[in-house]
C-alpha cells in the first residue's frame, strides 16, 4: 500500500470512528481545506498540514466552527489530527522523558495540565461532528464494561522462597495458614473478586495471566502447570471469566496460545512494543492508561484501532482505554488519594464514560485487596456506581 492509500485509509477510519461507525454520516464529512467540498458534503474539517508529515502538539481548545450556509459547516481545528495524536501515542515521539520504569508518564504529558486527563476531548470532538450533522447523541450508558485483574501473584506464601521470606520477616503464622490451604493466603482473593464482579450484569471479566520467567520485576512467577494455578484457571472459567496474557516487564511477547488479549506488566509499553504486539497477532490491548494518574490517556472512552505514528500504518490492534488502576489511586508515589478522594474521582470519570457511551475499563489486582489498603472497601463502592447503568 502506497503513502497516499495509507493516508486515505487512516482518514476514512478516523472520520468513521468520529461518527460512531455511522458510514452514511461519515460520507457527509470531508477532510480538506477546499471549501468547494461543501457542495457535496455537509461538514468539512480543515487540515493543519501535519497529519502524515510532522508531529506537533495538537490544539485541544474547542474547535472553531463556521456556518457559511444552511446545514453546512467548517471546522477550523484539525480534530482528525487530534484523534491521531492521542490514540497513536505520537506524543512519545517528541517527548523523550521517561520514568524509572521507562514509561511515558502522565506527569510528562501535555495532559497533565488544566485537568485535561479528566476530560475525553476527542469524544467531545465526535459529539460536535454528530451535532453539526444533526444526528442524535449516543444514548448515555456503557458500550462495554471490562472488569480486569492482573494476576501478578496467585499467593503470597505458597512457594519455598516466599515462605522462607515470610518466616524471616516474622510472619510464620500467616505462612503456615497459607501452606495448609491457599484459601487462607492474603493474596488469594479470587472467590471474593468473582462474587463482586458478578454484581455487575453484562460485564466482561478478564484475568491477565503472567507467562514469564519470574526474574527481576517479573517475580514471582507461578507455575502454570502447578495445582494452584490449574484450580484457579478452572474456577475462573467456570465463572465465565476470560483469560488474557500479562506480558513481561522486559518486553518479551509470548506466542499466542489461549488469548489475543494483552496487557503489559507495570503498564510498561512503547510504540515499538505495540508494533511487535500487532505483528504477533494480538488483537486487543488493555494497557492504555497512565500508571501515575487516572483518567483518559487516549482522550477517548471508546476502543480505537492503533495507528503506528512512525509508519502511518493502521494496524489490526484495538486499544481499550484503561480509566483507572487501583495502585494509581493509593500509592504514595502516584496519586496518594484517600479512599473518599479516590471514590469521588472514579465517580467523576465514570460519569464521563457514560455520557459518551464509552467503554469502562478498570484494573484491580487480587494482591492489593489486603487489610493494609482501602481497596477491599473501595472496589464494591465503585461497582455499585455501575449497576445503575
Amino acid at each position: 500500500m502506497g503513502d497516499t492509500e495509507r493516508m486515505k485509509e487512516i482518514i476514512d477510519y478516523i472520520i468513521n470512528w468520529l461518527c460512531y461507525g455511522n458510514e452514511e454520516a461519515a460520507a457527509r464529512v470531508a477532510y480538506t481545506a477546499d471549501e468547494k467540498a461543501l457542495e457535496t458534503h455537509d461538514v468539512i474539517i480543515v487540515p493543519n498540514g501535519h497529519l502524515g508529515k510532522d508531529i506537533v502538539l495538537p490544539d485541544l481548545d474547542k474547535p472553531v466552527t463556521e456556518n457559511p450556509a444552511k446545514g453546512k459547516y467548517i471546522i477550523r481545528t484539525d480534530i482528525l489530527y487530534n484523534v491521531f495524536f492521542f490514540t497513536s501515542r505520537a506524543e512519545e515521539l517528541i517527548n523523550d522523558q521517561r520514568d524509572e520504569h521507562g514509561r511515558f508518564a502522565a506527569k510528562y504529558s501535555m495532559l497533565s495540565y488544566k485537568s485535561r486527563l479528566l476530560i475525553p476531548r476527542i469524544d467531545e470532538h465526535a459529539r460536535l461532528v454528530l451535532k453539526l450533522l444533526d444526528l442524535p447523541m449516543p444514548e448515555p450508558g456503557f458500550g462495554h464494561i471490562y472488569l480486569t485483574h492482573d494476576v501478578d501473584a496467585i499467593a503470597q506464601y505458597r512457594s519455598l522462597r516466599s515462605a522462607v521470606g515470610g518466616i524471616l520477616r516474622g510472619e510464620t503464622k500467616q505462612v503456615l495458614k497459607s501452606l495448609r490451604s491457599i484459601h487462607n493466603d492474603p493474596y488469594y482473593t479470587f472467590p471474593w473478586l468473582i462474587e463482586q464482579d458478578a454484581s455487575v450484569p453484562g460485564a466482561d471479566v478478564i484475568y491477565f495471566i503472567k507467562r514469564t520467567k519470574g526474574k527481576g520485576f517479573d517475580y514471582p512467577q507461578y507455575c502454570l502447570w502447578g495445582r494452584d494455578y490449574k484450580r484457579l484457571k478452572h474456577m475462573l472459567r467456570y465463572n465465565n471469566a476470560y483469560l488474557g496474557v500479562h506480558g513481561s516487564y522486559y518486553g518479551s511477547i509470548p506466542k499466542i496460545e489461549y488469548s489475543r488479549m494483552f496487557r503489559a506488566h507495570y503498564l510498561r509499553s512503547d510504540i515499538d512494543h505495540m508494533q511487535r504486539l500487532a505483528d504477533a497477532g494480538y488483537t486487543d490491548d488493555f494497557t492504555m492508561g497512565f500508571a501515575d494518574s487516572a483518567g483518559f490517556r487516549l482522550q477517548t472512552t471508546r476502543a480505537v484501532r492503533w495507528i503506528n505514528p512512525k509508519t502511518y500504518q493502521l494496524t489490526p490492534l484495538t486499544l481499550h482505554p484503561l480509566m483507572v488502576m487501583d495502585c494509581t489511586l493509593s500509592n504514595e508515589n502516584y496519586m496518594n488519594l484517600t479512599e473518599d478522594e479516590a471514590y469521588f474521582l472514579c465517580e467523576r470519570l465514570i460519569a464521563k464514560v457514560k455520557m459518551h457511551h464509552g467503554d469502562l475499563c478498570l484494573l484491580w489486582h487480587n494482591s492489593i485487596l489486603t487489610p493494609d489498603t482501602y481497596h477491599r472497601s473501595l472496589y464494591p463502592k465503585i461497582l455499585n456506581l455501575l449497576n445503575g447503568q
Side-chain angles (χ1 to χ4, degrees):
M1 184 183 291
D3 292 345
T4 302
E5 291 81 5
R6 268 205 308 272
M7 289 310 304
K8 183 179 186 307
E9 182 184 32
I10 289 171
I11 290 167
D12 289 347
Y13 172 77
I14 294 177
I15 292 175
N16 189 64
W17 183 85
L18 284 168
C19 294
Y20 281 76
N22 186 328
E23 293 184 1
E24 291 184 4
R28 297 165 57 193
V29 180
Y31 185 57
T32 177
D34 185 359
E35 297 185 15
K36 292 181 179 178
L38 288 175
E39 296 174 4
T40 54
H41 297 79
D42 296 326
V43 174
I44 62 172
I45 301 168
V46 178
N48 61 11
H50 294 290
L51 186 60
K53 297 179 181 178
D54 309 314
I55 303 295
V56 299
L57 294 179
D59 180 5
L60 274 185
D61 294 330
K62 186 175 180 179
V64 178
T65 305
E66 297 177 12
N67 181 202
K70 185 177 180 180
K72 303 290 185 177
Y73 298 92
I74 302 171
I75 301 176
R76 294 290 179 187
T77 297
D78 190 346
I79 62 176
L80 260 72
Y81 179 79
N82 291 2
V83 173
F84 160 78
F85 182 86
F86 288 109
T87 62
S88 71
R89 300 174 61 179
E91 186 176 13
E92 298 174 34
L93 296 180
I94 56 174
N95 186 335
D96 61 3
Q97 292 178 287
R98 300 295 184 267
D99 69 7
E100 67 272 23
H101 296 292
R103 301 172 300 194
F104 183 66
K107 61 186 176 183
Y108 306 134
S109 173
M110 66 176 292
L111 297 175
S112 64
Y113 304 102
K114 300 180 181 179
S115 301
R116 286 171 171 164
L117 266 174
L118 304 181
I119 303 171
R121 290 295 178 88
I122 61 177
D123 282 348
E124 293 186 346
H125 293 347
R127 291 177 74 89
L128 172 68
V129 173
L130 295 180
K131 179 182 178 181
L132 299 183
L133 294 173
D134 197 26
L135 295 173
M137 295 295 122
E139 287 290 328
F142 301 112
H144 293 88
I145 296 175
Y146 297 105
L147 305 177
T148 73
H149 309 287
D150 290 358
V151 185
D152 294 342
I154 293 177
Q156 187 173 7
Y157 300 116
R158 296 281 286 183
S159 70
L160 177 62
R161 177 177 171 180
S162 59
V164 171
I167 292 171
L168 292 176
R169 293 191 300 271
E171 301 163 357
T172 304
K173 287 185 178 180
Q174 294 95 315
V175 171
L176 293 176
K177 287 175 64 177
S178 173
L179 293 177
R180 290 191 194 102
S181 172
I182 193 171
H183 291 273
N184 295 327
D185 192 277
Y187 287 1
Y188 199 80
T189 57
F190 301 102
W192 184 85
L193 273 173
I194 289 170
E195 180 181 0
Q196 299 305 312
D197 291 345
S199 70
V200 184
D204 289 323
V205 180
I206 309 171
Y207 286 80
F208 288 93
I209 307 299
K210 288 201 301 185
R211 300 183 65 86
T212 65
K213 295 181 179 180
K215 297 180 179 180
F217 284 102
D218 285 336
Y219 176 81
Q221 177 55 38
Y222 34 87
C223 178
L224 299 179
W225 298 272
R227 181 175 61 180
D228 288 348
Y229 175 69
K230 286 183 177 180
R231 287 180 175 176
L232 173 62
K233 181 173 70 172
H234 176 76
M235 178 172 63
L236 296 179
R237 287 183 168 169
Y238 179 79
N239 286 279
N240 301 313
Y242 297 98
L243 302 183
V245 176
H246 199 28
S248 168
Y249 175 93
Y250 301 98
S252 62
I253 297 175
K255 293 181 180 179
I256 291 177
E257 296 179 13
Y258 60 88
S259 177
R260 295 179 183 272
M261 297 181 292
F262 185 92
R263 175 177 286 138
H265 195 28
Y266 276 70
L267 304 185
R268 193 170 183 269
S269 172
D270 60 25
I271 291 167
D272 292 336
H273 178 268
M274 290 175 67
Q275 185 59 57
R276 289 190 288 115
L277 200 64
D279 292 342
Y282 285 92
T283 57
D284 295 85
D285 181 83
F286 288 81
T287 308
M288 287 301 101
F290 286 120
D292 60 327
S293 185
F296 304 109
R297 175 174 185 170
L298 300 183
Q299 287 292 277
T300 180
T301 63
R302 296 188 288 142
V304 60
R305 285 173 62 188
W306 181 56
I307 302 166
N308 187 323
K310 291 184 176 180
T311 63
Y312 286 94
Q313 175 189 0
L314 178 63
T315 73
L317 184 65
T318 295
L319 307 183
H320 298 270
L322 173 61
M323 189 189 77
V324 64
M325 177 172 65
D326 47 16
C327 55
T328 300
L329 302 171
S330 55
N331 279 20
E332 291 183 359
N333 58 327
Y334 293 154
M335 299 189 79
N336 194 26
L337 302 178
T338 66
E339 181 175 351
D340 284 344
E341 290 170 338
Y343 174 81
F344 289 120
L345 173 61
C346 290
E347 184 180 41
R348 179 177 177 182
L349 294 173
I350 288 168
K352 291 291 185 181
V353 177
K354 290 179 69 173
M355 182 176 76
H356 295 289
H357 198 81
D359 296 346
L360 179 71
C361 183
L362 304 176
L363 165 54
W364 252 257
H365 296 79
N366 61 290
S367 52
I368 204 171
L369 299 165
T370 53
D372 57 334
T373 77
Y374 55 63
H375 289 289
R376 200 169 181 112
S377 170
L378 175 64
Y379 189 58
K381 293 177 185 177
I382 293 175
L383 296 188
N384 283 339
L385 292 172
L386 311 184
N387 286 321
Q389 296 291 314

